[in-house]
């Protein structure tokens, strides 16, 4: 039986195209000129799902004016850069990942004047802004596609991939979001099939066509001119296709890595990225990251090795995809993050994240959202994100320890990926109780419930009816309550962001794994010059003893998510989900 992947098949690879490091309040003792400093390595990114952050006009949908209202809150987090999911005109088949006009703002979100005011408000506060660029596909309601489908000899015909039906059925292609998992859609008007790796309302653009590429670069320049500081390229590893359309073996799509292997990192991907670098990234002080890095470390390196002049940062999915609803392998988690950190230790750069708009909540997947452990495990996970080597991405609400809300029935889901996966699972005869459990553990709607501002109705996200339910636990977990509590997840997050910003060792220090076989503790050091810091993270619900090598002598405590920690020589005993960073003596 086939299964359909519910989450992030689609890596995010980040590209921040700038070269001048900006000053930071750092106080490292080593020779800083030895470090390959870049501002986008030192920044902390905060991702906002605009639909769910703050509604300013009572229609139940978050908007740009809402974000403007909350800029001081965003600033108070200490973060440097905001990435917003797509805000362009869109019929919202896939919540903005289906764009019908690349040079306009979605009516639900506001106007171009609101956009300008928002970016100005960020810049006035020293916050940079990253735009999501969705160009593997457009909406079928984009003018280009309307033209393209109208006749075979329309000038826009070659903006998309078409297969004339007189040639028979095209070679099978898997679709991530299609109800039948079929990426070819028959279009009667011209008796041909068009390709859509995602939903049928998201036709894939034909990047082989130089006109398409020029349209995209020009569009990116339009936004760069407006002051955008970075670009996140959505599903970009798929833009270059093998248009000889080879047939692959039966059933390969059951293995998502095969899908990425066959469809990702196509023959001209590097050429396109170099063109984009030449025309866009090199001309502006912008950062850029693209989603997906192929299937090997070599692929990932080939996207971000600086001398290739393509992307700045690799955004891989292996880490975030590890948490599975039937349990997950902690040793594999440690090994995987270590593999990436070590591989990029001296060349290239990676992104670090444990959640985004394509996954359920971080604390519900990697931590423990029961009342006893939610706060310590959320703080522990944020300690991890902000002390690993790579640029950290925090998904809105994870600073509060927001949890995945339970949905009882498929009717509560809004995401096309979940709804179509449900239909597909049903048609394939899957055990639907089990499927609903899986959906509850990992589906994207779980990570998209509205931001919890206070304990009032709808958490003060909206005065109307929210587009997706507000988690009832907002009465306890919310910004107002956490602001007032010095021990809250929120205040811990702020402290941890500041620790990273004040100490280059957490950005550039060498990473070394300790206690690789330990089944409860993730332990590593970061070393810069003569300084060495020890990070100890208990990923379990029980006490854990870290018996460190004798030469380790924990000194100053840099941060601790509990009031105390028990140290006896080089043995440290950690409480459930305790996180501590020590300077080593
Ligand atoms: C990316 C986005 C995801 C979107 C898909 C299609 O994976 O992260 O949210 O649905 O691309 O654009
Ligand atoms: Ca609104």
């Amino acid at each position: 039986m086939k299964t359909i992947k519910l989450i992030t098949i689609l890596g995010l690879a980040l590209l921040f195209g700038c070269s001048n490091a900006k000053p930071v309040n750092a106080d490292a003792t080593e020779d800083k000129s030895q470090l390959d400093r870049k501002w986008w390595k030192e920044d902390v990114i905060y991702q906002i799902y605009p639909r769910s952050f703050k509604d300013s006009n009572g229609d139940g949908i978050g908007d740009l004016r809402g974000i403007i209202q909350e800029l001081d809150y965003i600033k108070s987090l200490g973060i440097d850069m905001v990435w917003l999911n797509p805000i362009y005109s869109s019929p919202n088949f896939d919540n903005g990942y289906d764009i019908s006009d690349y040079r306009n703002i979605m009516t639900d979100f506001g106007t171009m004047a609101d956009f300008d005011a928002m970016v100005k408000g960020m810049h006035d506060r020293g916050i940079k802004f990253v735009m999501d660029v969705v160009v593997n596909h457009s909406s079928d309601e984009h003018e280009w596609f309307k033209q393209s489908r109208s006749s075979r000899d329309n000038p826009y015909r070659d903006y998309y991939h078409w297969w004339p039906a007189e040639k028979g059925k095209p070679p099978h292609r898997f679709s991530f979001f299609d109800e039948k998992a079929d990426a070819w859609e028959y279009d009667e008007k011209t008796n041909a099939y068009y390709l859509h790796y995602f939903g049928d309302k998201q036709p894939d653009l034909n990047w082989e066509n130089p006109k398409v590429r020029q349209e995209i670069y020009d569009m990116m320049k339009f936004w760069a001119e407006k002051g955008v500081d970075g670009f996140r390229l959505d599903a970009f590893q798929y833009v270059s296709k093998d248009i000889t359309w080879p047939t692959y073996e039966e059933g390969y799509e059951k293995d998502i890595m095969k899908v990425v292997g066959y469809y990702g990192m196509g023959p001209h991907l590097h050429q396109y990225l170099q063109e984009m670098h030449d025309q866009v990234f090199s001309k502006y002080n912008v950062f850029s990251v693209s989603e997906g890095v192929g299937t090997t470390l070599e692929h990932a390196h080939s996207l971000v090795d600086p001398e290739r002049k393509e992307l700045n940062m690799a955004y891989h999915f292996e880490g975030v995809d590890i948490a599975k609803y039937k349990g997950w392998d902690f040793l594999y988690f440690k090994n995987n993050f270590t593999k990436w950190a070590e591989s990029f230790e001296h060349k290239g750069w990676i992104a670090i994240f444990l959640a985004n708009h394509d996954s359920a909540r971080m604390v519900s997947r990697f931590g423990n959202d029961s009342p006893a452990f939610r706060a310590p495990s959320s703080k522990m996970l944020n300690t991890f994100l902000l002390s690993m080597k790579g640029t950290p991405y925090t998904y809105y609400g994870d600073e509060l320890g927001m949890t995945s809300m339970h949905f009882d029935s498929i009717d509560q889901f809004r995401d096309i990926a979940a709804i179509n996966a449900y239909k597909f699972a049903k048609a394939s005869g899957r055990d639907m109780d089990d499927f609903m459990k899986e959906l509850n553990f990992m589906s994207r709607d779980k990570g998209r419930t509205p931001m919890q501002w206070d304990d009032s109705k709808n958490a003060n996200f909206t005065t109307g009816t929210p587009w997706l339910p507000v988690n009832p636990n907002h009465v306890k977990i919310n910004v107002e309550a956490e602001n007032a509590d010095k021990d809250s997840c929120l205040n811990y997050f702020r402290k941890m962001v500041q620790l990273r910003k004040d100490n280059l060792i957490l950005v550039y220090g060498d990473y070394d794994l300790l206690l690789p076989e330990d089944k409860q503790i993730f332990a590593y050091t970061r070393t810069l010059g003569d300084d060495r810091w020890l990070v100890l993270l208990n990923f379990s619900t029980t006490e854990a003893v870290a018996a460190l090598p004798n030469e380790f002598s924990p000194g100053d405590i840099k941060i601790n998510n509990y009031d105390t920690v028990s140290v006896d020589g080089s043995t440290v005993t950690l409480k459930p989900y305790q996180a501590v960073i020590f300077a080593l003596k």
Side-chain angles (χ1 to χ4, degrees):
M1 183 180 51
K2 290 184 197 170
T3 55
I4 196 163
K5 185 90 172 170
L6 296 170
I7 48 160
T8 61
I9 41 237
L10 337 148
L12 269 188
L14 291 166
L15 230 169
F16 270 43
C18 161
S19 49
N20 286 335
K22 67 182 172 95
V24 291
N25 306 324
D27 130 51
T29 50
E30 86 308 338
D31 176 6
K32 288 177 197 143
S33 61
Q34 297 301 303
L35 303 175
D36 180 22
R37 290 185 66 179
K38 298 278 187 278
W39 60 263
W40 41 265
K41 296 181 180 173
E42 297 175 10
D43 281 6
V44 175
I45 298 178
Y46 185 64
Q47 180 190 350
I48 294 179
Y49 197 66
R51 232 179 159 66
S52 302
F53 198 61
K54 183 79 193 226
D55 174 22
S56 70
N57 63 352
D59 65 357
I61 299 173
D63 46 49
L64 303 188
R65 287 266 145 216
I67 294 172
I68 293 171
Q69 285 171 17
E70 299 300 344
L71 284 175
D72 287 335
Y73 169 74
I74 297 169
K75 175 71 185 165
S76 81
L77 298 174
I79 58 90
D80 305 278
M81 185 143 53
V82 168
W83 155 31
L84 282 193
N85 296 98
I87 51 177
Y88 316 79
S89 304
S90 165
N92 277 311
F93 168 80
D94 183 21
N95 288 359
Y97 283 96
D98 48 320
I99 296 170
S100 53
D101 182 350
Y102 287 98
R103 290 172 190 241
N104 253 314
I105 300 294
M106 189 194 297
T107 345
D108 283 347
F109 290 162
T111 63
M112 195 59 94
D114 296 337
F115 173 84
D116 292 335
M118 180 191 72
V119 173
K120 180 169 185 314
M122 288 182 186
H123 286 167
D124 286 348
R125 290 168 178 79
I127 299 170
K128 303 187 200 80
F129 175 71
V130 182
M131 190 85 174
D132 209 322
V133 178
V134 189
V135 289
N136 172 69
H137 44 272
S138 72
S139 163
D140 66 340
E141 296 182 32
H142 194 292
E143 189 55 32
W144 298 338
F145 191 72
K146 289 188 195 160
Q147 294 283 338
S148 184
R149 84 193 317 179
S150 67
S151 79
R152 287 193 180 189
D153 52 15
N154 185 283
Y156 288 91
R157 186 64 169 181
D158 288 346
Y159 271 47
Y160 297 86
H161 294 285
W162 290 97
W163 179 277
E166 62 273 18
K167 280 171 63 184
K169 282 211 138 202
H172 172 67
R173 287 295 177 272
F174 168 76
S175 161
F176 296 119
F177 296 169
D178 187 68
E179 177 180 342
K180 299 194 187 70
D182 180 356
W184 288 106
E185 186 76 14
Y186 177 69
D187 205 42
E188 214 173 338
K189 174 96 170 113
T190 57
N191 187 36
Y193 297 85
Y194 67 85
L195 183 76
H196 63 90
Y197 281 171
F198 295 90
D200 58 357
K201 286 180 65 59
Q202 295 166 292
D204 282 43
L205 282 160
N206 176 13
W207 273 70
E208 301 299 309
N209 182 346
K211 283 195 205 140
V212 169
R213 304 206 296 275
Q214 199 52 54
E215 300 255 22
I216 303 296
Y217 308 146
D218 290 347
M219 175 274 284
M220 292 173 78
K221 284 188 242 175
F222 168 83
W223 292 102
E225 293 291 337
K226 281 186 152 293
V228 161
D229 305 286
F231 295 103
R232 177 252 186 201
L233 304 179
D234 181 70
F236 200 77
Q237 62 179 343
Y238 300 118
V239 299
S240 169
K241 280 137 182 131
D242 181 348
I243 55 162
T244 64
W245 304 115
T247 304
Y248 304 118
E249 80 272 13
E250 181 82 15
Y252 68 90
E253 68 267 25
K254 284 181 217 154
D255 178 353
I256 204 67
M257 288 321 278
K258 286 200 172 166
V259 176
V260 179
Y262 290 148
Y263 301 179
M265 301 294 295
H268 300 122
L269 189 76
H270 291 296
Q271 178 204 326
Y272 303 158
L273 280 173
Q274 284 166 13
E275 280 175 12
M276 192 183 278
H277 185 279
D278 183 50
Q279 291 210 32
V280 189
F281 305 143
S282 67
K283 302 276 194 290
Y284 302 89
N285 183 17
V286 289
F287 145 96
S288 50
V289 50
S290 108
E291 186 191 40
V293 291
T295 51
T296 63
L297 286 172
E298 289 69 33
H299 283 154
H301 275 285
S302 74
L303 294 167
V304 298
D305 279 351
E307 62 270 24
R308 295 180 60 95
K309 299 197 182 339
E310 296 182 25
L311 304 173
N312 299 129
M313 204 183 293
Y315 202 140
H316 71 88
F317 289 115
E318 286 180 11
V320 73
D321 280 350
I322 289 171
K324 299 276 188 307
Y325 86 112
K326 287 190 173 153
W328 51 284
D329 183 344
F330 177 58
L331 292 187
Y332 179 67
F333 177 84
K334 295 202 292 187
N335 282 335
N336 188 272
F337 274 94
T338 300
K339 173 182 95 176
W340 284 88
E342 285 175 349
S343 173
F344 286 81
E345 186 89 278
H346 301 296
K347 205 170 191 202
W349 194 254
I350 53 172
I352 302 288
F353 66 105
L354 286 176
N356 61 25
H357 64 291
D358 289 330
S359 74
R361 283 282 161 194
M362 170 174 91
V363 73
S364 302
R365 296 180 71 217
F366 290 96
N368 187 314
D369 62 12
S370 69
F373 298 124
R374 183 193 64 87
S377 67
S378 156
K379 293 174 188 172
M380 185 277 291
L381 293 169
N382 279 322
T383 315
F384 170 70
L385 288 177
L386 290 153
S387 66
M388 273 303 278
K389 191 157 187 174
T391 296
Y393 285 63
T394 291
Y395 187 54
Y396 84 97
D398 282 350
E399 73 275 27
L400 305 175
M402 271 175 61
T403 65
S404 295
M405 176 179 165
H406 187 82
F407 289 178
D408 299 321
S409 114
I410 188 68
D411 305 332
Q412 289 168 286
F413 289 83
R414 292 287 165 272
D415 178 16
I416 191 67
I419 294 165
N420 281 347
Y422 180 91
K423 290 182 189 158
F424 183 85
K426 214 165 177 180
S428 331
R430 180 155 173 199
D431 170 348
M432 292 312 279
D433 283 345
D434 187 61
F435 178 80
M436 284 306 288
K437 281 189 195 137
E438 183 173 9
L439 213 52
N440 260 300
F441 182 77
M442 63 205 291
S443 74
R444 311 196 298 180
D445 282 326
K446 305 275 126 174
R448 296 176 177 182
T449 60
M451 179 68 171
Q452 298 171 195
W453 295 102
D454 65 24
D455 62 2
S456 66
K457 190 161 179 247
N458 293 323
N460 201 18
F461 159 69
T462 180
T463 53
T465 307
W467 76 278
L468 196 64
V470 172
N471 195 322
N473 69 17
H474 75 273
V475 295
K476 285 224 167 66
I477 304 170
N478 64 66
V479 171
E480 193 182 56
E482 296 204 21
N483 260 331
D485 171 4
K486 72 172 180 24
D487 293 328
S488 65
C489 296
L490 174 60
N491 283 320
Y492 184 88
F493 175 80
R494 289 176 172 136
K495 225 167 114 185
M496 189 58 215
V497 169
Q498 207 49 51
L499 187 70
R500 182 179 182 101
K501 298 219 53 74
D502 289 344
N503 294 279
L504 287 184
I505 190 170
L506 291 179
V507 180
Y508 296 107
D510 283 351
Y511 166 91
D512 288 288
L513 180 69
L514 297 171
L515 311 176
E517 301 304 324
D518 196 293
K519 295 198 169 67
Q520 293 167 279
I521 301 171
F522 200 157
Y524 48 90
T525 56
R526 302 295 308 274
T527 309
L528 192 62
D530 294 337
D531 292 336
R532 191 166 197 195
W533 286 17
L534 168 68
V535 182
L536 293 178
L537 308 166
N538 182 357
F539 269 75
S540 79
T541 55
T542 53
E543 213 173 73
V545 179
L548 300 160
N550 283 339
E551 69 270 19
F552 277 71
S553 176
D556 281 357
I557 295 176
K558 298 293 175 184
I559 199 161
N560 181 0
N561 67 348
Y562 279 77
D563 290 337
T564 56
V565 58
S566 143
V567 183
D568 179 8
S570 50
T571 300
V572 183
T573 306
L574 299 170
K575 300 196 183 68
Y577 293 109
Q578 185 159 21
V580 197
I581 301 182
F582 294 99
L584 288 174
K585 282 190 234 162

